[in-house]
């Protein structure tokens, strides 16, 4: 049955819709019971079994008990969500106590409760028949599932406990539901396609409830240069500019503006406002990992550990050689006067910077950890570059703001691999640092969401750059 017919056929549904706007409030819940007497509608008391409310992409059936005024029923539902209301009536009693029939002439809105389908069949429906309409209003997540397994559920090639395991769907990860097969569901997530037990999935309205817990709302820049402003107005001062394709964490929406976090992993956080027309807002989810991908990730982590150990051995050997002979031309990181803005660079210095940048790339994919300095277990932005340089025997200050005094100033058009690029999201105070790797790219410990990644050197507006090795 079509949804629009449902509300015309539920007794005096049309009459109640006419008066509902003035009665709705924000309370929740309706007490259970049966065959309640509903009074207060055009001088008529109605004996009803159920009330039906459409809203929030669903139809709610509520059984009623005792004498319930119409306004009390309506006040049980959120006025911002309810789109229609109806009652399943049995009979009516007028104020003088005489029994009446609810017919076209007796309803407050003048609508007949005995309508026909387009094929001429009678439109009256019982409460049991009306209950099936709840299935007609489907969630937009009806074919989407969110894993509720702890910590993960195996994805199998076929529906069965003995089937080959082809991947894992971790808790909070999203999948597309292809079809149901008994107690199993065929799903697709990331590069994995297979079967999992249905009991480990939240789907439909249950999945929608998990969006805020496991989904991350991001704004993807769709214009060449996005202005991030301090307030939700084009008259507000620009805090920073973001290039096309970059993603910003969405905090809230206000009219035609989104409040975003520009640097949710930086040492000094900054939020700003962007015009909605210049971003595409999406929900990011974690996805399944295949057996092959899991093995590749383990190999990547092992390679990172090996690279770190090899460099530490090389550094120890170099330091041993240094102590066995007179110290000459020991490289030190010193602060230079701010007036000095250029330095000459030798081919040897460029090669060393490239070696350092290449070493830093071994740790892409590792986690961001606030206050961390571990290249394998997690670091923040300044801890990352500090630890990279430390493995070459070069000491840097601990915070990004203090690191901006290390080394020598260089222009953005003079960048070489190994140089440090600093960012000040508010245009004034440095709060983030990255290492230039060449080709217009930097490697950096970005955010808790993304970990250590490679980005455009202009993923934010650069503030300054410094060269540590020359």
């Amino acid at each position: 049955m079509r949804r629009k017919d449902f509300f015309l056929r539920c007794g005096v549904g049309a009459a109640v819709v006419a008066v509902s706007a003035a009665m709705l409030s924000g309370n929740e819940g309706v007490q259970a019971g049966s065959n309640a007497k509903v009074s207060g509608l055009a001088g008529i008391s109605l004996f009803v079994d159920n009330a039906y409310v459409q809203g929030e992409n669903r139809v709610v059936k509520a059984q009623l008990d005792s004498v319930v005024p119409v306004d009390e029923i309506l006040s049980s539902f959120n006025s911002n969500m309810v789109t229609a209301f109806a009652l399943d009536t049995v009979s009516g009693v007028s104020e003088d106590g005489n029994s009446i029939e609810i017919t076209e002439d007796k309803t407050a809105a003048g609508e007949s409760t005995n309508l026909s389908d387009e094929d001429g069949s009678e439109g009256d429906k019982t409460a049991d028949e009306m209950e099936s309409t709840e299935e007609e209003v489907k969630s937009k997540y009806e074919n989407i599932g969110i894993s509720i397994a702890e910590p993960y559920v195996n994805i199998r090639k076929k529906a069965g406990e003995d089937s080959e395991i082809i991947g894992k769907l971790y808790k909070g990860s999203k999948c597309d539901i292809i079809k149901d097969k008994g107690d199993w569901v065929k799903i697709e997530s990331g590069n994995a396609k297979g079967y999992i037990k249905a009991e480990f999935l939240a789907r439909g309205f249950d999945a929608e409830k998990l969006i805020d817990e496991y989904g991350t709302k991001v704004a993807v820049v769709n214009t060449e240069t996005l202005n991030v402003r301090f307030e939700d107005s084009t008259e507000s001062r620009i805090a920073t500019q973001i290039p096309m394709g970059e993603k910003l964490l969405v905090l809230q929406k206000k009219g035609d503006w989104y409040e975003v976090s520009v640097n949710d992993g930086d040492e000094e956080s900054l939020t700003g406002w962007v015009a909605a027309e210049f971003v595409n807002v999406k929900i990011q989810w974690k996805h399944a990992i295949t057996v092959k991908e899991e093995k590749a990730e383990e190999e990547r982590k092992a390679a990172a550990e090996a690279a770190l150990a090899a460099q530490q051995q090389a550094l120890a050997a170099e330091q041993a050689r240094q102590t066995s002979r007179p110290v000459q031309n020991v490289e030190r990181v010193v602060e230079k006067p701010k007036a000095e803005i250029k330095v000459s660079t030798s081919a040897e210095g460029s090669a060393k910077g490239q070696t350092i940048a290449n070493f830093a790339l071994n740790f892409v994919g590792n986690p961001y950890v606030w206050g961390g300095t571990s290249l394998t277990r997690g670091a923040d932005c300044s801890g990352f570059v500090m630890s990279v340089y430390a493995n070459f025997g070069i000491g840097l200050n601990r915070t990004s703001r203090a690191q901006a005094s290390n080394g020598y100033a260089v222009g953005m058009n003079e960048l070489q691999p190994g140089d440090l690029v600093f960012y000040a999201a508010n245009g004034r105070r440095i709060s983030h640092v990255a290492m230039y790797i060449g080709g217009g790219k930097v490697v950096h410990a970005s955010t808790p969401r993304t970990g250590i990644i490679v980005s455009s050197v202009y993923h934010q507006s650069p503030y300054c750059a410094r060269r540590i090795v020359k």
Side-chain angles (χ1 to χ4, degrees):
M1 181 178 64
R2 293 173 303 169
R3 196 186 310 169
K4 68 176 183 178
D5 294 333
F6 161 64
F7 294 103
L8 293 175
R9 296 174 186 173
C10 289
V12 293
V16 180
V17 172
V19 299
S20 63
M23 298 180 178
L24 292 172
S25 70
N27 300 322
E28 297 182 358
V30 173
Q31 293 182 344
S34 62
N35 201 28
K37 184 174 77 172
V38 181
S39 60
L41 179 65
I44 298 173
S45 294
L46 303 173
F47 290 92
V48 304
D49 286 318
N50 303 296
Y52 297 85
V53 172
Q54 178 182 347
E56 302 177 315
N57 294 320
R58 60 195 176 102
V59 173
V60 176
K61 171 187 172 184
Q63 291 182 312
L64 310 173
D65 60 7
S66 70
V67 178
V68 185
V70 174
D71 60 337
E72 288 188 13
I73 300 173
L74 293 171
S75 68
S76 300
F77 299 91
N78 191 318
S79 61
N80 294 324
M81 298 296 182
V82 173
T83 56
F85 181 89
L87 300 176
D88 178 22
T89 65
V90 179
S91 60
V93 178
S94 63
E95 288 184 339
D96 58 12
N98 296 322
S99 296
I100 60 172
E101 293 183 14
I102 306 303
T103 66
E104 182 174 5
D105 294 330
K106 299 296 183 179
T107 58
E111 295 289 347
S112 171
T113 63
N114 186 18
L115 301 180
S116 299
D117 288 328
E118 292 179 358
D119 60 2
S121 61
E122 293 298 315
D124 291 283
K125 300 291 179 182
T126 66
D128 290 338
E129 291 172 317
M130 289 302 175
E131 190 171 1
S132 66
T133 26
E134 188 164 354
E135 300 175 359
E136 296 180 14
V137 183
K138 294 184 178 180
S139 163
K140 61 183 179 180
Y141 273 53
E142 190 65 24
N143 295 316
I144 292 176
I146 308 298
S147 173
I148 55 175
E150 188 66 62
Y152 64 84
V153 58
N154 288 322
I155 304 172
R156 298 183 181 271
K157 191 172 183 179
K158 296 181 180 179
E161 295 284 358
D162 298 329
S163 181
E164 176 188 356
I165 296 174
I166 61 172
K168 296 176 180 178
L169 189 69
Y170 281 85
K171 186 175 183 180
S173 297
K174 171 183 171 290
C175 67
D176 294 320
I177 297 173
I178 300 174
K179 67 177 181 180
D180 294 279
K181 187 176 182 180
D183 294 333
W184 293 78
V185 180
K186 187 174 185 180
I187 61 105
E188 183 172 7
S189 178
N191 294 317
K193 181 186 289 187
Y195 290 85
I196 65 173
K197 294 293 288 289
E199 64 186 276
F200 296 113
L201 274 188
R203 60 193 294 183
F205 294 115
D206 289 333
E208 288 189 40
K209 296 175 183 177
L210 301 178
I211 292 176
D212 291 339
E213 184 174 358
Y214 296 114
T216 301
K217 190 176 292 186
V218 296
V220 184
V221 181
N222 63 19
T223 187
E224 185 175 352
T225 302
L226 175 69
N227 292 327
V228 181
R229 300 180 183 274
F230 285 103
E231 298 177 2
D232 55 333
S233 168
T234 55
E235 303 299 321
S236 176
R237 186 166 64 88
I238 295 175
T240 189
Q241 294 181 314
I242 308 295
M244 180 180 289
E246 291 295 324
K247 299 174 183 177
L248 303 171
L249 181 67
V250 174
L251 302 177
Q252 66 168 315
K253 186 177 183 183
K254 181 179 179 182
D256 294 330
W257 293 80
Y258 285 104
E259 185 181 19
V260 297
S261 175
V262 177
N263 53 349
D264 50 312
D266 290 1
E267 295 166 356
E268 183 174 314
S269 62
L270 171 77
T271 62
W273 295 86
V274 298
E277 64 182 300
F278 299 122
V279 295
N280 298 324
V281 175
K282 300 179 180 180
I283 298 178
Q284 282 189 335
W285 297 92
K286 292 181 180 179
H287 293 90
I289 182 171
T290 65
V291 171
K292 291 182 179 179
E293 289 170 336
E294 186 174 46
K295 183 179 179 180
E297 177 62 11
E298 291 173 354
E299 291 174 350
R300 184 200 66 77
K301 290 180 178 179
E305 293 279 3
L308 178 60
Q311 180 56 38
Q312 288 174 341
Q313 289 178 358
L315 176 63
E318 176 63 24
Q319 289 175 335
R321 286 193 297 270
Q322 293 288 341
T323 57
S324 66
R325 64 174 183 245
V327 178
Q328 293 180 350
N329 300 324
V330 175
E331 182 172 13
R332 294 190 307 162
V333 177
V334 296
E335 182 176 354
K336 292 293 184 179
K338 294 184 178 180
E340 183 179 353
I341 60 172
K342 287 188 178 183
V343 294
S344 59
T345 305
S346 66
E348 182 180 357
S350 299
K352 187 167 186 178
Q354 185 68 69
T355 299
I356 294 172
N358 290 343
F359 174 73
L361 288 171
N362 285 296
F363 309 102
V364 170
N366 285 349
Y368 175 103
V369 175
W370 176 264
T373 59
S374 172
L375 297 176
T376 54
R377 296 187 301 275
D380 58 21
C381 64
S382 56
F384 173 65
V385 297
M386 182 187 75
S387 294
V388 168
Y389 269 100
N391 279 278
F392 290 85
I394 302 172
L396 298 181
N397 294 330
R398 178 58 184 90
T399 67
S400 60
R401 194 171 306 146
Q403 287 170 356
S405 66
N406 292 142
Y408 310 89
V410 292
M412 290 300 296
N413 61 340
E414 302 172 303
L415 289 178
Q416 293 183 358
D419 290 349
L420 300 184
V421 182
F422 297 88
Y423 301 86
N426 61 5
R428 296 175 180 175
R429 293 169 62 89
I430 292 172
S431 58
H432 190 69
V433 61
M435 181 181 293
Y436 188 69
I437 59 174
K441 303 289 186 180
V442 292
V443 60
H444 59 138
S446 178
T447 72
R449 292 182 294 112
T450 58
I452 299 174
I453 60 173
V454 172
S455 302
S456 164
V457 69
Y458 292 101
H459 70 280
Q460 294 182 41
S461 301
Y463 184 79
C464 68
R466 306 287 287 188
R467 181 159 298 149
I468 306 302
V469 294
K470 64 175 183 177

